[in-house]
Amino acid sequence: MDSKIANNRNILIAVDESENAKRAVLYVKDLLAGLSGFHITLITIIPEPPEDYFMSESEKTEWVKDKNVSARRIIEGYHKIFSEAGFREEDVKSHAVMKKCASIAECILNEKDNLACGTVVIGRRGISKKEEFIFGSTSSKILHTAKDCSIWVIE
Amino acid sequence: MQEITQTDQKQFSREELRERIAHWMGPERVPKKFSIITDTTDFYRVDYDDVVILGEIPYLIRNNEREGRFGIDDQQKYWVKRARDLSDGSVKIIKLVFHERFQSKVGGITFDCFRSPQKEARILDLTKGHPRFMQGFALKDSSNNVIRIIDYIRGKTLADAVLKYGQDHEDYFYNYFPSIFDEYMELVEAIRFLHEHDDKHGDIRRDHIIREEGTGNSRWIDFDFDYLHKENVFGYDLFGLGNILTYLTGRGDVTSQLLQQASSPLISHLTEHDMNIIFNNRVVNLKKVYPYVPAELNNILLHFSMAANVFYDNTGQLLNDLNEARVKLNKP
C-alpha cells in the first residue's frame, strides 16, 4: 500500500491538447488565483503504442521524440497560464509521462497516487454514446474507479 | 517480445523441387518454369507456381487468398498465398509481410488501425495447440521478414454454417441454437484467453470464425489486425463478439429492411432503442421478433443496443451473463 498521504490541496490536472483540457486548466486558475496553500501538478499522459505498431527501432525513437516535444509544448503552455495568473513557480509543476496504458484513466490515477494528490481535475470531452460503447470514456472511468480523492469534471 | 528465429534457408536443386512437386501434386502439375524465392519482401513478385523456401521447407505457391466483406466483391490479398508444403503435401496459408496503417470508420467513429506480422506471430505461438484458434508458426525469410505459415482450415465460416440449420427460426432456436451457443461461449473463452495475455484479436467478425470439417471445431482466424485503443482496450473486440451473438441468435442479421420487405407487422413495434448501437438497421432486441428468446439472452443483446447505458468492459462480464442465459435455453 502506498504510504503517501493524499492532500486535497495537491491538485492534479490531467491535460492534453484538447479544448476541454484547456477549460479544466482555466477553471482551476480562476477558482484558485490569489489563494495560497494549493499545489498544482499538470500532467499529460502519452500512451505508448504497442511494440507491434512500429516497423523499426528508429521509427519508434522518432515517434517518442516527436510526442515528447509536443507534450512539453502543451504543458508549458498551461504552466504559463498559471504563472501569468500570479501562481508561485514552486506551486505549479508539470510532467509528461510516456507509458504503456491499458487505460489512460488508470494511468492518471496511478500518477495521482504517486504524487499524493487528493484532487484530480479533468475536462470532459463529451464523446458520443457510440464512441463510449466501443472505446470507453476516460472521464467516466475515473469517476467510477477513483478512490480516496475528489474528482472535478469540468464540462 | 517473442523472438522469431531466422533459420538458414535450405538449398534445393531445381530437379529435387520438380520431384517433390510431381510427388505431391502429380507429374502434370510440375511447372515448366518457376522461380525459387527466399526473400519475400516484394510479395507481388511471389507468384503462382513459384517455390518459396522458408527454413527447411519448400512451398509451392498457389493462388492469392481473397477476402469478402459484406457483399463487396472479394478482394485479393496479394500478401496471403495458398501453398503446398513440399515436405508433406499439406495445404498451408503463407502470410507475407504487409505493414499498413490506416483509419477505420465504424458507425461514424474513426480510429487508427494497423497490420502487424509480429502480433500474429506472437498469438500463433501463444495459442499453439488451442482448439479454438488457427494453428501455425512464424519464421523469418532471408530478409528478416516475419512470415506466418498457417494450417489451412477446410470448412465454412460459422456464420454460413448456421444458416442451413432449422426449418424455421423456432426450430433452429430450440433444436440447434443451444449447441451453437455452447460453441460461441467457447469462442468467447478463447478471446478471454487472449485478453488475459494482454493481446486482442483486433478484427472480430463473423467471417473470422471457420468451422473445421472433421473436428467440427470453430476456430478464430487472422490475428494480424490491431487498433490503437482509447480508454477500453478490449471494447472493439467486445463489440465484435456482440455482433456475432446477435447474428447467431437471429440465424442471420435481422434488419429493418428485411422486416419491411417481408411486410412484417413487427416493423411498427420497433424503435431506435431496439437497434444495434453502431449498425442502426440491425435489430438486437430479438425478443420482439422471436418472443421465445429468453429474457436473460435478450438482455445480453440489449447491451449492444441504442438503449444501452451499461456496456461490457471485459469478456468475463459477458461470460457471466452467457452462463446465466445458457440455463434458459432448450426449454420450450
Side-chain angles (χ1 to χ4, degrees):
Chain A
M1 181 151 173
D2 199 326
S3 59
K4 290 176 186 167
I5 297 168
N7 180 340
N8 284 334
R9 287 173 174 251
N10 285 350
I11 296 172
L12 182 79
I13 313 178
V15 295
D16 57 19
E17 57 202 339
S18 63
E19 274 303 308
N20 43 296
K22 190 173 181 183
R23 279 200 307 277
V25 167
L26 294 176
Y27 176 86
V28 175
K29 185 259 302 180
D30 290 343
L31 189 72
L32 302 183
L35 300 176
S36 61
F38 290 95
H39 304 283
I40 289 161
T41 304
L42 292 156
I43 195 161
T44 188
I45 305 281
I46 310 164
E48 204 178 312
E51 290 294 329
D52 305 331
Y53 183 73
F54 301 105
M55 285 174 235
S56 66
E57 228 10 78
S58 59
E59 190 197 10
K60 183 179 173 183
T61 307
E62 197 59 27
W63 186 94
V64 168
K65 194 174 131 196
D66 287 351
K67 289 290 177 186
N68 270 319
V69 167
S70 58
R72 290 292 341 155
R73 185 173 38 78
I74 291 165
I75 52 179
E76 278 166 13
Y78 291 140
H79 199 125
K80 198 172 161 202
I81 288 174
F82 285 105
S83 302
E84 288 175 356
F87 285 73
R88 298 186 312 169
E89 274 306 300
E90 60 267 35
D91 288 337
V92 183
K93 294 190 168 44
S94 51
H95 299 289
V97 178
M98 183 175 291
K99 63 199 293 192
K100 289 206 163 52
C101 291
S103 146
I104 294 173
E106 281 171 19
C107 282
I108 291 171
L109 293 174
N110 283 343
E111 291 305 317
K112 181 264 301 178
D113 291 339
N114 292 340
L115 298 165
C117 292
T119 303
V120 176
V121 187
I122 46 173
R124 198 203 292 271
R125 194 152 60 92
I127 60 173
S128 68
K129 192 169 174 179
K130 285 181 179 185
E131 191 169 350
E132 182 169 358
F133 166 70
I134 293 191
F135 290 116
S137 156
T138 299
S139 57
S140 292
K141 185 151 185 189
I142 286 179
L143 275 172
H144 287 108
T145 58
K147 285 181 183 153
D148 303 326
C149 66
S150 308
I151 306 293
W152 300 352
V153 180
I154 311 304
E155 287 275 357
Chain B
M1 195 173 173
Q2 184 212 359
E3 275 299 311
I4 299 159
T5 49
Q6 185 177 22
T7 50
D8 290 336
Q9 320 304 325
K10 192 176 171 186
Q11 302 285 315
F12 291 90
S13 68
R14 284 185 175 273
E15 199 41 49
E16 195 178 352
L17 291 173
R18 282 196 188 92
E19 280 171 19
R20 286 186 183 227
I21 296 168
H23 178 73
W24 293 113
M25 309 288 293
E28 72 285 0
R29 306 302 293 272
V30 178
K32 288 189 177 67
K33 282 176 24 179
F34 59 90
S35 301
I36 300 173
I37 296 168
T38 59
D39 172 0
T40 63
T41 305
D42 184 356
F43 52 75
Y44 287 106
R45 297 187 67 178
V46 179
D47 219 339
Y48 190 86
D49 274 350
D50 287 343
V51 174
V52 173
I53 299 173
L54 296 163
E56 301 271 300
I57 298 175
Y59 298 90
L60 179 69
I61 299 299
R62 314 316 290 158
N63 296 307
N64 295 321
E65 284 295 290
R66 291 172 176 272
E67 183 164 69
R69 201 160 188 174
F70 304 115
I72 299 167
D73 286 343
D74 288 356
Q75 291 183 328
Q76 280 201 64
K77 297 199 280 187
Y78 292 96
W79 66 97
V80 183
K81 314 283 183 185
R82 195 173 295 200
R84 287 295 281 266
D85 178 330
L86 294 178
S87 71
D88 64 7
S90 60
V91 180
K92 301 289 184 191
I93 300 295
I94 298 186
K95 297 180 85 170
L96 308 175
V97 168
F98 176 39
H99 286 289
E100 62 170 339
R101 286 182 193 161
F102 51 94
Q103 289 202 311
S104 274
K105 201 167 186 180
V106 176
I109 302 160
T110 306
F111 54 104
D112 294 314
C113 296
F114 58 101
R115 197 182 285 282
S116 166
Q118 285 84 0
K119 171 177 178 267
E120 186 156 68
R122 185 175 59 245
I123 293 179
L124 282 171
D125 192 49
L126 175 70
T127 58
K128 197 166 250 343
H130 195 301
R132 293 296 174 195
F133 292 98
M134 70 179 188
Q135 294 293 294
F137 61 97
L139 79 179
K140 288 182 176 172
D141 71 3
S142 63
S143 267
N144 259 331
N145 294 303
V146 176
I147 311 299
R148 288 125 297 141
I149 315 279
I150 290 159
D151 296 345
Y152 178 71
I153 305 172
R154 230 169 269 283
K156 285 180 176 178
T157 64
L158 177 63
D160 282 346
V162 299
L163 293 177
K164 69 176 174 28
Y165 291 137
Q167 291 178 343
D168 55 23
H169 185 272
E170 192 166 358
D171 179 30
Y172 163 78
F173 194 77
Y174 285 121
N175 297 313
Y176 298 92
F177 182 67
S179 64
I180 289 162
F181 190 85
D182 290 340
E183 204 170 337
Y184 171 79
M185 284 181 68
E186 288 189 32
L187 288 160
V188 178
E189 280 284 4
I191 295 300
R192 171 154 79 171
F193 174 76
L194 281 190
H195 290 180
E196 283 174 349
H197 287 84
D198 295 327
D199 253 315
K200 40 186 156 14
H201 182 286
D203 197 14
I204 288 185
R205 50 194 170 96
R206 58 183 187 243
D207 50 347
H208 280 166
I209 303 171
I210 307 288
R211 192 191 258 175
E212 189 174 45
E213 279 177 21
T215 66
N217 277 343
S218 288
R219 294 179 185 269
W220 291 107
I221 63 165
D222 281 5
F223 321 132
D224 55 345
F225 243 61
D226 206 347
Y227 54 90
L228 292 185
H229 69 270
K230 295 180 184 171
E231 188 50 47
N232 184 357
V233 59
F234 301 126
Y236 192 57
D237 270 5
L238 284 157
F239 164 60
L241 290 173
N243 290 338
I244 292 170
L245 179 62
T246 310
Y247 180 93
L248 296 176
T249 305
R251 196 178 60 158
D253 286 325
V254 179
T255 64
S256 47
Q257 290 90 338
L258 279 177
L259 293 172
Q260 251 158 1
Q261 277 165 21
S263 304
S264 169
L266 291 166
I267 198 81
S268 59
H269 298 290
L270 292 172
T271 72
E272 62 172 23
H273 286 171
D274 299 318
M275 313 308 276
N276 183 296
I277 188 168
I278 302 293
F279 303 119
N280 300 155
N281 65 330
R282 295 188 195 169
V283 181
V284 292
N285 190 357
L286 289 175
K287 196 170 178 59
K288 275 198 175 175
V289 182
Y290 306 117
Y292 40 84
V293 170
E296 290 78 0
L297 171 57
N298 205 53
N299 286 340
I300 300 174
L301 302 180
L302 290 178
H303 279 77
F304 303 93
S305 75
M306 300 260 275
N309 286 314
V310 178
F311 309 128
Y312 290 115
D313 284 329
N314 57 58
T315 43
Q317 294 167 350
L318 174 60
L319 279 161
N320 282 343
D321 287 356
L322 290 170
N323 273 309
E324 283 182 24
R326 180 63 185 89
V327 295
K328 302 291 180 182
L329 297 177
N330 253 143
K331 289 179 183 167

